[in-house]
Structure formats: C-alpha cells, structure tokens
Amino acid sequence: MPHSVPDTADQFQFRTLQPEDIGACIRIAIANFDEFRDHPEYIHRWFEQRITHNPWQNALPGPGVGVWLDSRLVGFRAMFAQPWWLNGQSRIIAFGANTCIDSEFRGQGLATRLIRFSCGLSDINGSVTAGVITQKSFGACGFLKIGGESNDFFRLRIGYRGSWEKRVGNRLGQILGSFCDLSLRWRDRKLSQPDFTMAEISHCGSEFDSLWERAKTAYPSCAERSSRYLNWRLFEFPTCPLQMLALRDRSGTLRAYAIWHRQQLAESIDMAVLRDVFYPPQDEPAIRGLLYHLFAYWRKLGISWGNLEVASPRLTALFRELGYEALSSHGNRYQIYSNPALAENVLTDWYRSGIDGDYFDHPL
C-alpha cells in the first residue's frame, strides 16, 4: 500500500489513520462542525458503530487518512469498509464519510490532497457526500459521477391528513384529510398487486439471504444485502433510526423490502424518506406491490410527503412512468474512484441507495 511511506514533500505529512487516532479525529470534528459541538455524542457514536464495530473494517489498513503538521493531526478523511457486489464478484469498497480540515489550516488545498491520498486505501473508493464545494476536488482526484446531477430522487404526496389537521384541528382534519386521500388511493391503483402482505421487521433471517442470492446476479453493482450486513447496519449497530418493511406473497416468500425513516417538516407535517428498496429487478409485481403497500402504510401513519432516495435506471424509469416529481439537486452526491477502471455496465447501472456509504448520519 502507498501509505507505508509518509508524503513529506512539504511541512504536512499524509498517513493512514490508526485506531489510536480516532480520538483526535473526533476532537477536530467537534471543533469544526456546529452539530457535533452541540451533540458530541453523534460523532462518538458514528466512529464506534460504523468503524470500531464494523465486521469488514479489517479489509482496510486503517479507519481513514489524515494530515499532520509535525505531531499534530490537523485534518482527516474517515473511511469505512462496505461489502459490495460488482459484476459477479464480492468486493470491499472504502467509503469516505467526511473530509474535515481544522479551520486554522483551510485554504491550502489540504482537503483535495486528503481525497487524492485516500484513493490508495482501497482499489475502489466511494463518497456519497459530495457537495457543491467539493465537486471540483473529486473530479480533480479522478472520481467519476454516478447518475445524473439530480441524483434521480423523486417526491410524491402521500396523504392530506396532516395538512388539514394543521389548518382546522385534529378531528375535522382527519375527516377532510381522509376525503382528500381518495384521490391518492385512485392514483396508486395502478400499483396494486394481489396477494401481497407487508410487515415490520426488526431482525433479518435466512429468508433475506435467500432473496439476496436470488437477486444479486441481476445487479451489475449494489451494496451487499445479506442478513449479516442488514442486521449490522440497521439493528445491531445503527447510527440513525431506520425502519424496515418486508413484502411477502401468499406463500409467505419474501419478495422485496423497503428501508425508510421519518422526518418532521412542521407541526403535523411529516415526510417519509425511502432510503432503500431491494427486489429481483425482473420481478415487476414485487416492486409495484411494495410501493402500493408502502404508500398505504405511510398514509395510515399520517405522513404527508414521501421522498424516494433510491435510484437505478430501472427505478428511475418506473418513477417517471408513475408521474412522481423529480427533485432538483445542486450537484451529484455519488462519486466513485477505481483503479483499475470499472466496466461501463457497472457504472451506468449502479444501484444507488441511502444505505450505501453514507455520511456522519445521526438521529434524524
């Protein structure tokens, strides 16, 4: 690995982080981000859950890369390992979760140099946190944008109850909201599929492994969704509260599932964010049935809006066909670096999900 020899071209040294450096990374994050200054437990929990208790982290030489001035750590890029399925092979991708430079040393190009240095941590590196400011840095370091500038996210109205309750109070609002929801049920009729049921899940067993094995060969690229990974990510060591719903057919076979979280926009106005769906891509009844039952479930909870933040060419085409509102974006948030380069079909059909990589996620 290129990190065995420090870069000493100038006063700054770039090296692979080691577990004993995590405390210094946390101090830098708290000093430079208001949300961590107000809630230091968020960043402590993130390193603990996402790196210290990551079963795949040993595949990387360390928890990220850092830049030192003499013996002082002045910036870091935290990176964690995630199992991936790429063109018929199981691989480990190093996902950069944050790039943080102490304010005293900003404006010297250190963040870009950290990103470039981090490319040596693994054959494949990813980031799903690329904001407008960092777009040029990722491009200069050889990262490729995956998906369009809009990220292929969509939005739709789920229910009217919350809006009416905010206007006229709970009792009358429920009546008026239920009446207005009839139009949404009519809209969703094209999704309705017979013989499906949906249930909440708090642990993934062997049926999730069976679904993963049945479906994965049809995906050129996607995060691993074995029961081991799902239980670790969602239930055993979560960094933010996510909920899972499973779709089964009449025989009880798991056909698809959804992962989502709830955000409050205003009093009585909630939004459900769909962070992942998984199904065999050729199983059109399953994805339509999943959306039908999911929207009905959200509507019953009184949720007003739904954001669909999972994307692939197939899903994007379906959401457009259904007439959902495409969400504009200020920049592509999904960046991938690979040496050697990935096959074109892997890049163009990359399955993008809110459980990929991710950022310093915390209670939402």
Side-chain angles (χ1 to χ4, degrees):
M1 298 296 292
H3 302 291
S4 59
V5 179
D7 181 352
T8 56
D10 56 24
Q11 60 182 332
F12 296 105
Q13 295 185 4
F14 293 80
R15 301 195 298 268
T16 302
L17 294 170
Q18 298 304 315
E20 57 267 26
D21 299 316
I22 289 177
C25 293
I26 290 174
R27 288 192 292 273
I28 291 174
I30 292 173
N32 289 275
F33 289 100
D34 290 340
E35 61 181 313
F36 298 139
R37 188 178 298 114
D38 296 337
H39 297 281
E41 69 276 11
Y42 290 169
I43 184 65
H44 280 275
R45 184 185 303 121
W46 187 89
F47 270 103
E48 182 75 12
Q49 306 288 72
R50 193 59 65 84
I51 289 183
T52 303
H53 293 293
N54 185 336
W56 298 272
Q57 192 66 28
N58 286 339
L60 304 182
V65 296
V67 52
W68 278 260
L69 178 61
D70 297 326
S71 60
R72 175 186 173 186
L73 182 68
V74 299
F76 70 93
R77 178 165 168 75
M79 305 188 75
F80 67 95
Q82 188 171 32
W84 213 263
W85 177 257
L86 288 175
N87 235 11
Q89 292 185 330
S90 296
R91 303 286 296 275
I92 296 294
I93 294 182
F95 270 92
N98 201 302
T99 303
C100 181
I101 302 296
D102 206 341
S103 58
E104 181 182 347
F105 298 93
R106 291 177 186 169
Q108 302 183 55
L110 294 180
T112 300
R113 293 176 65 184
L114 265 180
I115 293 172
R116 180 175 290 112
F117 191 71
S118 71
C119 291
L121 205 66
S122 176
D123 291 341
I124 305 176
N125 288 261
S127 176
V128 292
T129 60
V132 176
I133 297 175
T134 55
Q135 294 296 305
K136 292 183 178 179
S137 293
F138 279 98
C141 296
F143 283 74
L144 299 177
K145 297 179 180 180
I146 304 296
E149 290 299 313
S150 69
N151 293 300
D152 295 326
F153 292 168
F154 290 81
R155 176 181 296 165
L156 74 158
R157 169 72 81 161
I158 297 298
Y160 287 100
R161 192 178 85 194
S163 300
W164 278 110
E165 287 180 353
K166 184 178 180 181
R167 295 180 190 176
V168 299
N170 290 349
R171 188 177 182 85
L172 183 57
Q174 289 180 13
I175 296 172
L176 294 174
S178 297
F179 178 77
C180 292
D181 284 350
L182 292 175
S183 64
L184 301 177
R185 292 188 175 92
W186 177 256
R187 176 201 67 192
D188 294 343
R189 75 193 187 284
K190 64 187 73 173
L191 293 171
S192 180
Q193 300 290 327
D195 301 328
F196 283 123
T197 59
M198 179 170 277
E200 296 180 28
I201 294 293
S202 58
H203 179 80
C204 299
S206 59
E207 62 178 342
F208 286 83
D209 292 312
S210 297
L211 177 61
W212 170 240
E213 293 299 325
R214 293 199 313 270
K216 69 181 183 181
T217 55
Y219 285 95
S221 57
C222 65
E224 180 179 312
R225 287 167 173 83
S226 64
S227 63
R228 182 190 183 202
Y229 174 76
L230 292 171
N231 284 326
W232 170 74
R233 177 69 175 83
L234 302 179
F235 307 123
E236 296 169 358
F237 296 102
T239 52
C240 64
L242 298 173
Q243 300 181 59
M244 175 180 265
L245 293 166
L247 185 81
R248 296 185 176 88
D249 60 24
R250 180 182 292 180
S251 70
T253 300
L254 179 68
R255 296 277 291 275
Y257 58 82
I259 298 170
W260 68 286
H261 67 80
R262 185 172 185 163
Q263 290 183 329
Q264 187 169 32
L265 303 179
E267 184 181 355
S268 300
I269 306 296
D270 286 355
M271 178 174 69
V273 181
L274 180 63
R275 296 192 67 171
D276 188 41
V277 297
F278 191 69
Y279 67 104
Q282 70 277 9
D283 193 349
E284 188 77 9
I287 184 59
R288 288 180 176 269
L290 180 75
L291 294 174
Y292 177 80
H293 285 279
L294 182 65
F295 297 160
Y297 179 87
W298 286 348
R299 192 173 299 123
K300 187 176 180 180
L301 293 178
I303 289 173
S304 300
W305 293 94
N307 270 12
L308 311 180
E309 298 189 1
V310 55
S312 69
R314 188 184 295 264
L315 281 176
T316 298
L318 175 61
F319 295 156
R320 285 176 176 160
E321 172 198 326
L322 294 169
Y324 303 151
E325 175 192 359
L327 295 178
S328 60
S329 174
H330 294 296
N332 183 298
R333 77 170 191 170
Y334 215 113
Q335 309 277 342
I336 294 295
Y337 172 89
S338 179
N339 185 19
L342 293 167
E344 185 64 26
N345 69 308
V346 172
L347 296 172
T348 57
D349 201 16
W350 197 280
Y351 194 69
R352 309 188 302 282
S353 162
I355 65 169
D356 301 347
D358 231 65
Y359 37 83
F360 282 115
D361 46 0
H362 50 76
L364 298 157

